Amino acid sequence: MTNDTHAPDASTSYSFQAEVAKVLDIVINSLYTDKEIFLRELISNAVDALEKRRYLDLVNGRDPEKDLPLQITIAADSDTGTLTVTDTGIGMTRDELIENLGTIAHSGATEFLKKASQPVSDTFNLIGQFGVGFYSAFMVASQVIVTTRSATSTEHGYQWTSDGISHYTITPADGLPMGTSIQLTLKKDAEDYAKDWRLRDVIHKYSGFVPFPILINNEKVNTIQALWVKSPGDVTDDEYQEFFKYIAPSTQNPIDWLHFSTDAPLSIKALLFIPNENPEKLGFGRTDANINLHCKKVLIQRNAKDLLPLWLRFVSGVVDSEDIPLNISRETMQDSALIRKINRVLSKRIIKQLKTMAEKQPDRYRQFWSQFGMFIKEGVITEFSDRDALAELVRFETSMTDPGTLVSFQEYMERMPESQKSIYYIAGAGREAIEAGPYVEVFRKRGIEVIYNYDPVDDFVMHHLAEFKEKKLVSADSESIDLPTAGPESAAESDSKSNSVPSGDIQSLADWIRAKLQEKIADVRSSDRLVSSPIILVNPDGALTGAMQKLMEAANKEFSPVTRRNLQFNPNHPIIRNLNELRRDHDDQAAMILDQLFDHAALDAGMAVETRLLVRRVTSIIEALLEKL
Ligand code: ADP
Ligand code: MG
């Protein structure tokens, strides 16, 4: 990338890495309405640099205030149309300048490029999210000069200059203070940003909670507040909401927050937020942990992922603990007993908060569930220790709810008859598909509620939960479902019974079906669970449900479920009665019809069916029928 041999003391010109050039092209040429966010990004970088220096000073036993106070200074000059953001942070070495401002290491850049090229993207969040914040300076500046000296090395300083087109230049510079100064030559349409009121406005909007003083033309404009160390009674809702917008960052209010402290055995102060939108649902890939770990207000680690279990990665906030050793590293974090303890405390609190929300504010909880329900499900599947508590947070539609109305296991339990031994569920593409299928027939007949699972992972959730308050969770497509005995038979039912397969024939019919479908099924039996369907395929007890098998197949091509299912036939169904007659003199035709019935049941069970054979069979059945007319 160097078009010059390495000469650290001379002015050297470099080309931007290809990805950076593309990001710059988008940033400069797109008509973003929210150009002002460049200031948020520069301030956020200054904050990062100041946090790093504060930490370094602390570890080395230096007092930063005696030396060079930690602060951000903004100098605007409307005459020359320049704006300079200066921090007394960690600064950058020459190598870091090249690495940080000329290349993009994170995979985030590729994702940014993909998202940003789509017509409706929310740049406000995009730019910060993908670690390309610095380049937003070029939205408003025709030239950017970064002057910096690193606190970590004895090198002299450097000046980095670019117009954001294709190249940048690095020149050594002497006599610089520690930190970084970023000078923007504002474009014509961005000259407003050199005005005092405009700057204050933007800073107030995005950076009100910056934990270091910000001075505009030497006047301090922010009040520094570490909200989380205050007592909850002293913080207003507005302050919480503004703080969330600052740390998320987001333009919207959070769905909820929790602010608490603990003393023994662990001293923690925590302020956690449940955002209002789930980026993973919008297809943004996996969210990163957004919990910042502090010790007595000093930032120890940003995005400390071990503070919460993975399934809680949608929560953002701050955790402050005096018990954290200052020099804790990412590696020691992972296997620190202390961090594990904090993790437990936080998860318990969050779960409890959600439970309270579900009880006291069902509308808000519904909103939460629609955005973050997928994480609760993930928690059920991955987090053994919280499973029972999480089960209470799961919501679903059932055969007895209106479409779109969700209920809990608790509500289901409360209205089930005393004699009902299990909780039943069935997977399907949607309500109509499920209700048209054979599996819910017997439940409808007996008035038993069935949970409808529309999401492919739902069956796994049920499978992992296994039971709720000592009631087993059973898929309605399983072999044995032990339903409460039916009420008195309806006239139609007893009528159809008088027309059923003679009881003396049942065993031989079952044997005949078994012989014909040998390879395709495991077992055959007559069953009274069907009403309007002639046959049904059920899963042997203990087998994965049909939906789970399908998901495993989709995830892993090698996975061959081939659990053969059991077939149950309805002896009261006219088709079965007639089939029983037909097989005596026309074995071939009866076998063909059985094959066809099997395929219908397989389709109902969501299995793959050989459609060419199916169509050929229907053709011959139609032919035979027309001959008879
Ligand atoms: P991100 O902040 O997400 O890493 P940016 O594009 O905003 O992405 O910044 C890129 C990198 O440049 C930062 O990670 C940091 O290493 C470096 N950097 C930017 N501004 C400063 C600054 N004021 N002081 C020190 N380093 C900085
Ligand atoms: Mg940044």
Side-chain angles (χ1 to χ4, degrees):
M1 244 167 274
T2 320
N3 7 359
D4 198 328
T5 43
H6 235 309
D9 288 328
S11 176
T12 315
S13 175
Y14 299 86
S15 346
F16 284 113
Q17 181 198 31
E19 278 87 347
V20 175
K22 275 191 217 150
V23 169
L24 281 167
D25 186 52
I26 290 176
V27 162
I28 293 173
N29 294 315
S30 307
L31 288 170
Y32 290 141
T33 48
D34 42 15
K35 286 194 165 115
E36 63 192 27
I37 60 127
F38 83 92
L39 194 57
R40 178 195 68 181
E41 293 304 325
L42 295 185
I43 290 177
S44 128
N45 286 346
V47 170
D48 287 349
L50 288 164
E51 299 273 18
K52 283 180 195 156
R53 195 187 131 218
R54 174 155 72 179
Y55 176 77
L56 192 75
D57 284 353
L58 206 72
V59 171
N60 295 330
R62 280 195 303 258
D63 177 0
E65 299 307 320
K66 266 199 210 137
D67 201 358
L68 181 64
L70 298 161
Q71 65 182 30
I72 299 167
T73 318
I74 300 176
D77 184 339
S78 44
D79 293 341
T80 56
T82 57
L83 179 69
T84 311
V85 179
T86 305
D87 65 68
T88 50
I90 193 99
M92 281 178 274
T93 62
R94 182 193 169 91
D95 286 347
E96 282 166 348
L97 270 175
I98 296 173
E99 170 91 20
N100 298 337
L101 305 186
T103 60
I104 306 177
H106 350 251
S107 60
T110 347
E111 214 168 322
F112 170 80
L113 289 169
K114 221 165 58 200
K115 296 282 171 197
S117 57
Q118 290 162 8
V120 267
S121 13
D122 178 3
T123 12
F124 176 89
N125 284 325
L126 280 183
I127 288 180
Q129 205 163 340
F130 293 117
V132 294
F134 170 76
Y135 304 108
S136 65
F138 290 100
M139 296 197 297
V140 295
S142 54
Q143 191 190 45
V144 176
I145 302 174
V146 180
T147 314
T148 183
R149 185 163 76 81
S150 170
T152 61
S153 110
T154 52
E155 268 179 17
H156 52 63
Y158 292 94
Q159 199 165 69
W160 178 104
T161 311
S162 179
D163 57 6
I165 308 290
S166 59
H167 288 77
Y168 60 92
T169 314
I170 296 182
T171 315
D174 272 328
L176 298 177
M178 201 184 327
T180 304
S181 152
I182 299 183
Q183 188 192 81
L184 314 182
T185 305
L186 295 169
K187 293 181 184 170
K188 271 265 164 300
D189 62 354
E191 276 174 354
D192 253 11
Y193 294 111
K195 296 197 178 109
D196 220 62
W197 63 269
R198 188 76 174 98
L199 291 169
R200 283 168 194 268
D201 198 40
V202 179
I203 287 168
H204 180 76
K205 192 159 161 194
Y206 299 111
S207 307
F209 287 93
V210 163
F212 298 97
I214 301 180
L215 299 106
I216 298 183
N217 295 333
N218 294 321
E219 191 191 330
K220 191 168 153 207
V221 294
N222 65 330
T223 44
I224 309 147
Q225 305 211 39
L227 277 198
W228 63 93
V229 300
K230 290 184 159 189
S231 103
D234 297 338
V235 186
T236 66
D237 284 5
D238 260 4
E239 287 176 304
Y240 283 127
Q241 288 166 345
E242 291 310 313
F243 185 68
F244 168 74
K245 289 178 188 165
Y246 164 68
I247 59 159
S250 171
T251 44
Q252 284 159 334
N253 286 333
I255 288 186
D256 204 1
W257 58 83
L258 58 162
H259 182 190
F260 64 90
S261 58
T262 62
D263 285 327
L266 205 64
S267 153
I268 307 177
K269 290 183 170 57
L271 176 52
L272 305 174
F273 295 91
I274 296 163
N276 122 319
E277 220 169 44
N278 173 5
E280 286 193 31
K281 239 186 120 186
L282 301 171
F284 274 80
R286 186 171 272 199
T287 312
D288 275 334
N290 185 20
I291 303 286
N292 296 336
L293 180 63
H294 294 248
C295 170
K296 297 185 208 155
K297 300 202 242 172
V298 177
L299 180 72
I300 304 297
Q301 201 175 101
R302 207 176 274 289
N303 301 340
K305 65 175 175 8
D306 301 301
L307 286 179
L308 284 176
L310 192 60
W311 70 271
L312 276 172
R313 61 187 175 280
F314 61 94
V315 173
S316 11
V318 176
V319 174
D320 196 314
S321 174
E322 298 178 6
D323 303 328
I324 300 283
L326 276 179
N327 55 359
I328 193 162
S329 70
R330 287 217 177 250
E331 295 70 48
T332 46
M333 278 276 281
Q334 250 173 25
D335 43 42
S336 146
L338 178 70
I339 298 295
R340 271 201 303 278
K341 268 191 220 147
I342 298 183
N343 182 313
R344 287 310 302 150
V345 172
L346 299 183
S347 347
K348 282 219 162 64
R349 290 279 186 149
I350 296 169
I351 292 171
K352 198 172 127 215
Q353 175 97 355
L354 290 172
K355 216 181 137 191
T356 314
M357 194 205 294
E359 280 160 16
K360 306 240 161 84
Q361 298 168 295
D363 285 344
R364 193 189 278 207
Y365 188 75
R366 203 166 307 124
Q367 189 197 350
F368 165 79
W369 179 259
S370 75
Q371 284 297 319
F372 301 103
M374 58 182 272
F375 291 109
I376 302 293
K377 293 177 185 176
E378 185 180 322
V380 169
I381 294 172
T382 56
E383 205 65 34
F384 181 73
S385 44
D386 291 323
R387 205 163 274 164
D388 289 344
L390 287 174
E392 303 194 29
L393 296 176
V394 175
R395 295 292 181 272
F396 34 74
E397 285 190 26
T398 79
S399 53
M400 292 187 185
T401 61
D402 291 329
T405 304
L406 302 177
V407 296
S408 63
F409 283 116
Q410 190 58 39
E411 287 164 272
Y412 179 104
M413 294 257 293
E414 276 160 18
R415 57 189 179 216
M416 72 192 227
E418 225 170 289
S419 53
Q420 188 180 330
K421 297 202 181 75
S422 309
I423 293 173
Y424 297 98
Y425 63 90
I426 185 73
R431 180 174 287 267
E432 277 165 23
I434 290 173
E435 292 183 347
Y439 296 103
V440 290
E441 283 181 6
V442 68
F443 295 90
R444 200 180 297 133
K445 185 166 79 170
R446 306 267 173 94
I448 303 288
E449 185 167 17
V450 183
I451 293 169
Y452 289 173
N453 285 345
Y454 306 139
D455 180 346
V457 307
D458 289 345
D459 274 16
F460 284 91
V461 172
M462 300 288 166
H463 182 80
H464 280 88
L465 283 176
E467 54 178 50
F468 181 81
K469 303 213 168 142
E470 284 162 25
K471 294 283 181 193
K472 267 208 184 119
L473 305 182
V474 175
S475 173
D477 69 357
S478 352
E479 166 82 51
S480 25
I481 42 173
D482 186 4
L483 296 184
T485 40
E489 267 177 15
S490 67
E493 265 183 88
S494 51
D495 184 49
S496 80
K497 274 208 176 139
S498 63
N499 279 321
S500 53
V501 175
S503 53
D505 277 6
I506 299 254
Q507 189 55 47
S508 79
L509 176 59
D511 291 343
W512 178 80
I513 293 176
R514 189 177 299 113
K516 294 295 174 200
L517 294 177
Q518 258 190 51
E519 256 107 78
K520 296 181 178 170
I521 53 172
D523 194 23
V524 180
R525 71 181 177 84
S526 157
S527 155
D528 63 355
R529 78 190 257 172
L530 294 171
V531 183
S532 50
S533 305
I535 68 173
I536 188 175
L537 294 174
V538 294
N539 275 308
D541 291 340
L544 297 182
T545 68
M548 290 166 80
Q549 297 189 22
K550 263 210 327 224
L551 199 65
M552 308 269 281
E553 274 171 57
N556 174 7
K557 295 266 175 310
E558 317 265 278
F559 178 83
S560 57
V562 233
T563 344
R564 281 184 290 165
R565 320 228 176 165
N566 294 347
L567 183 149
Q568 296 185 354
F569 64 87
N570 177 359
N572 306 323
H573 199 285
I575 290 185
I576 297 297
R577 193 180 68 235
N578 289 323
L579 187 69
N580 183 46
E581 297 301 324
L582 187 69
R583 74 187 169 96
R584 293 182 211 290
D585 299 324
H586 302 279
D587 187 86
D588 281 357
Q589 275 173 316
M592 181 177 71
I593 287 171
L594 178 66
D595 274 335
Q596 188 67 22
L597 295 177
F598 174 85
D599 276 1
H600 293 177
L603 287 170
D604 281 331
M607 293 160 62
V609 163
E610 179 58 79
T611 42
R612 268 176 311 148
L613 286 178
L614 182 137
V615 169
R616 209 175 301 155
R617 254 185 264 115
V618 173
T619 310
S620 15
I621 292 169
I622 294 173
E623 266 168 22
L625 178 73
L626 292 177
E627 289 290 314
K628 288 216 172 130
L629 290 177

